[in-house]
């Protein structure tokens, strides 16, 4: 069955509500409820993306849900599942960055997600792979800073990645 535009819009709004509920649960420090809300949003957005893969906004929204879900799972102590979701976010953001290179937020989000993957891999002892992801993050964010050097957010995110690289390098030296 073909979904009507009204049904797709309703489903996207429903997913957005659950994503916002997840955020609100995070603010209230109710991690399990946040994860439940993000899971509901994920399911709705995955269905939307499957039905309409050419609508970049669905992929963008889904990458954000994957990232939020991954971060909450990480905080709950489920690092393996968290890493899977954040890597799914990275995969979507890579696609979005290629399909719509003119949208800097996709590349910014990619740089941030790559940094998070790098940090998680470092924690898991995957030092070489962690370094690779952090260098990818640095490259993506450096390109944004080069394009728009007055954008403070790009500079801050790049600095956080550089700090993560330095932390990884000092941990390697310490071993």
């Amino acid at each position: 069955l073909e979904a009507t535009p009204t049904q797709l819009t309703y489903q996207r709004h429903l997913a957005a509500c659950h994503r916002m509920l997840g955020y609100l649960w995070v603010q209230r420090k109710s991690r399990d409820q946040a994860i439940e809300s993000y899971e509901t949003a994920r399911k709705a957005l995955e269905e939307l993306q499957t039905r309409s893969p050419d609508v970049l906004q669905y992929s963008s929204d889904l990458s954000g849900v994957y990232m939020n879900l991954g971060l909450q799972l990480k905080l709950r102590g489920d690092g393996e599942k968290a890493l899977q979701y954040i890597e799914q976010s990275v995969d979507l953001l890579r696609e979005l960055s290629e399909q719509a290179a003119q949208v800097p937020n996709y590349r910014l989000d990619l740089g941030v997600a790559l940094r998070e993957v790098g940090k998680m891999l470092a924690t898991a002892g995957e030092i070489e792979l962690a370094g690779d992801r952090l260098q990818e993050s640095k490259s993506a964010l450096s390109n944004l800073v080069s394009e728009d050097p007055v954008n403070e957010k790009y500079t801050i995110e790049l600095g956080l990645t550089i700090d993560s690289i330095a932390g990884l390098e000092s941990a390697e030296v310490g071993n």
Side-chain angles (χ1 to χ4, degrees), residues 119-167:
K119 289 168 36 181
M120 292 178 76
L121 288 168
T123 300
E126 299 282 344
I127 303 303
E128 187 174 333
L129 198 50
D132 292 345
R133 292 300 171 270
L134 290 170
Q135 288 299 331
E136 285 181 77
S137 172
K138 181 180 174 186
S139 176
L141 296 168
S142 292
N143 288 339
L144 286 170
V145 169
S146 294
E147 292 170 19
D148 188 0
V150 297
N151 188 317
E152 210 172 286
K153 185 166 187 155
Y154 299 164
T155 305
I156 290 169
E157 294 297 346
L158 177 59
L160 291 171
T161 293
I162 290 169
D163 290 346
S164 293
I165 291 169

Side-chain angles (χ1 to χ4, degrees), residues 94-105:
R94 283 186 203 280
E95 290 175 23
L96 288 166
S97 295
E98 289 172 13
Q99 293 174 356
Q102 74 280 9
V103 181
N105 281 346

